[in-house]
Amino acid sequence: MINLLTTKLETYKNYISGSWVESVNNKTFKSVNPSNKEDIVGTFQASTEQDVIQAIDAASQAFPAWAQTPPSKRAAILNKAASILEQRVEQLAEELTREEGKVISAAKQEVLRSAETLRYYAIEGQSFTGETFPNDDPNMRVTTEREPLGVISVITPWNFPISIPSRKIAPALITGNTVVFKPSSDTPLIAYRLVEALHEAGIPKGVINFVTGSSSDIGDILIKHPAIRGVTFTGSTSAGEHIHKNTSFTTRTQMELGGKNPLIVMDDADVDLAVNLTVNGGFHLTGQACTGTSRVIVMKEVKEQFVQKLVEKTSALKIGDGFDDRVIIGPLANEKQLKNVLKYIGIGKEEGATLEYGGQQLAYGKYENGYYIEPAIFTNVKPDMRIAKEEIFGPVVAVIEVESYEEAVLIANDVEYGLSASIVTNNLKLAHQFTKDVQAGTVKVNRTTTGNLMNAPFGGVKRSSTSTFRESGRVGLEFFTQIKTVYIGY
């Protein structure tokens, strides 16, 4: 039986200086269920610049005391918040599925991953220190100290609406920074729950602040206000470019942006493995992952077999509401996403690619009120086609036939993005060479392009990132601290 979440319609508030408050203009917006757009998940504050300024002021006032708070006390709050998320995983997963559309099993994994992230940084942050330097003066000691930056703007997307905020907020807080957090307007409820957990864990007022609303209304103040010392953002490359150009040169930026991620299938590959990796990377999460597999570059010798098996496996995937345990592909997150994916499917046809399977909008029966689409497989794709170069962010895979490893790598690198890449081969020497040749921040062998370890660095190259500071892992703490060098003579 589908586990439908039944809750009354609630209005959720901003969180500023330790209190839940309404926007100064008393305007709100609704978050809807992408599986059923008639189902309203909740009502949220349509914040103004004045609301954001209040949040920034609160964070600024809280910063000196929080920066001096012992790391163990900061860690205790993160650990307590993690326990709250774990205790409420069933509720939060249901809310996440209802709000974003991903299948319930993935929603549970995301909530638990977020709790693990809080715990990870609670530990790592307590041992993130400076260095001591040898020098020729026996009566002098030279060290470095790591200090927090100050107020950090955290701006996050809808596709991983609690795990991405967690991997930004946790390292910011453990290193002594204060935060103003703006989530996507498509998924504000699960972000609210993260802040709620920190509130219940006893975080001091002003240390974290939460504002909802349109980026067009409040985005610029979040990046331009003189008190903002760092902006950490995940989203589209165009939005990241806007942030990069409009922040002060004294404001740090950390941005993880778009991708057009290739999976290369060599002639010695396990074809069944390659198919599974393509389906998992390209169609799970409805293709809505920045590291999703959007190009499969296949050797001519195995292309026909690969495509046949890919179509067979894809056609067996069940599409539907994420509360159905049998479903693999949920809805797209919103109407804009649906229109964008349909646009690119039309572009692929116009460019002369062959729509080998799928690509149809599902708008009948149980699909009538949701943003559903069949996964699409294009063959006869040329490397210069738009569907082979531009990020689609949906369940669309372009299959490109090649005749050599060199040609495959050339095509893999011939895009403006460089986030993730993978190769399927049994040739270890070639696999090692691939890790050197491909232009991507994350490189995998015989694994899907999606997914990253919590304790390993994550980020892209080229237009997939500013290539300044990586997220995740111990290096994820570096963005949030600045180095002071201290000379002491005696």
Side-chain angles (χ1 to χ4, degrees), residues 15-18 52 54-63 66 78 150-156 165-166 168-183 194-195 198 203-211 222 227-230 232 479-480:
Y15 183 71
I16 298 175
S17 195
V52 177
Q54 290 177 1
I56 294 172
D57 288 345
S60 297
Q61 292 168 15
F63 172 67
W66 182 246
L78 292 184
V151 182
I152 306 295
S153 285
V154 175
I155 307 171
T156 58
S166 295
K168 295 175 182 290
I169 291 171
L173 294 179
I174 195 64
T175 50
N177 299 277
T178 54
V179 167
V180 178
F181 171 32
K182 193 203 91 66
L194 174 60
V195 176
L198 288 164
I203 199 161
K205 68 177 185 179
V207 173
I208 186 163
N209 303 272
F210 171 78
V211 290
L222 279 164
I228 298 297
R229 294 299 316 282
T232 176
F479 172 76
F480 301 99

Side-chain angles (χ1 to χ4, degrees), residues 63-302:
F63 172 67
W66 182 246
Q68 294 301 314
T69 299
S72 60
K73 291 187 177 181
R74 298 183 207 145
I77 292 171
L78 292 184
N79 279 319
K80 188 173 181 180
S83 295
I84 292 169
L85 295 182
E86 290 165 345
Q87 292 162 8
R88 299 175 184 172
V89 63
E90 298 297 331
Q91 172 201 336
L92 300 187
E94 288 179 344
E95 289 178 340
L96 175 48
T97 290
R98 185 171 171 227
E99 181 176 52
E100 196 268 350
K102 66 180 56 178
V103 299
I104 188 69
S105 59
K108 288 179 182 178
Q109 290 171 8
E110 182 171 345
V111 173
L112 294 174
R113 167 71 174 256
S114 301
E116 290 173 0
T117 298
L118 297 182
R119 294 193 190 281
Y120 173 81
Y121 281 111
I123 295 171
E124 288 291 337
Q126 294 187 73
S127 62
F128 192 63
T129 63
E131 299 177 90
T132 300
F133 296 90
N135 69 90
D136 293 337
D137 184 343
N139 297 314
M140 183 172 66
R141 188 168 183 264
V142 183
T143 63
T144 56
E145 299 176 359
R146 288 191 173 271
E147 296 181 337
L149 299 179
V151 182
I152 306 295
S153 285
V154 175
I155 307 171
T156 58
W158 45 259
N159 60 329
F160 291 96
I162 185 169
S163 65
I164 290 178
S166 295
R167 77 182 188 212
K168 295 175 182 290
I169 291 171
L173 294 179
I174 195 64
T175 50
N177 299 277
T178 54
V179 167
V180 178
F181 171 32
K182 193 203 91 66
S184 167
S185 295
D186 286 306
T187 51
L189 178 55
I190 194 65
Y192 177 100
R193 296 302 188 205
L194 174 60
V195 176
E196 184 179 56
L198 288 164
H199 169 72
E200 293 181 19
I203 199 161
K205 68 177 185 179
V207 173
I208 186 163
N209 303 272
F210 171 78
V211 290
T212 56
S214 168
S215 292
S216 60
D217 293 330
I218 61 176
D220 277 356
I221 193 68
L222 279 164
I223 65 174
K224 292 181 178 180
H225 192 287
I228 298 297
R229 294 299 316 282
V231 179
T232 176
F233 169 79
T234 297
S236 70
T237 296
S238 59
E241 203 164 38
H242 173 81
I243 293 171
H244 187 64
K245 289 179 178 178
N246 285 277
T247 51
S248 165
F249 79 96
T250 59
T251 301
R252 282 188 181 178
T253 61
Q254 177 191 56
M255 288 181 282
E256 295 308 330
L257 310 172
K260 193 66 180 174
N261 312 295
L263 177 76
I264 295 176
V265 182
M266 296 303 299
D267 54 6
D268 70 333
D270 180 333
V271 173
D272 290 326
L273 173 62
V275 168
N276 288 336
L277 295 178
T278 301
V279 169
N280 291 340
F283 300 143
H284 285 208
L285 302 170
T286 320
Q288 298 175 129
C290 56
T291 54
T293 305
S294 56
R295 296 179 293 156
V296 184
I297 304 169
V298 189
M299 292 297 140
K300 182 178 181 179
E301 293 85 348
V302 295

Side-chain angles (χ1 to χ4, degrees), residues 412-481:
N413 290 337
D414 190 26
V415 292
E416 63 181 6
Y417 302 106
L419 186 55
S420 181
S422 184
I423 190 169
V424 189
T425 181
N426 288 311
N427 185 328
L428 292 180
K429 182 177 180 181
L430 187 67
H432 180 75
Q433 185 62 42
F434 173 73
T435 67
K436 306 296 182 185
D437 292 339
V438 74
Q439 297 168 0
T442 298
V443 185
K444 300 185 179 183
V445 176
N446 296 326
R447 291 295 183 269
T448 180
T449 58
T450 52
N452 61 287
L453 287 177
M454 178 176 54
N455 58 345
F458 173 74
V461 298
K462 297 193 286 189
R463 286 173 59 82
S464 288
S465 172
T466 47
S467 296
T468 48
F469 295 90
R470 288 292 189 245
E471 291 189 339
S472 294
R474 188 173 176 83
V475 299
L477 295 159
E478 293 179 357
F479 172 76
F480 301 99
T481 61

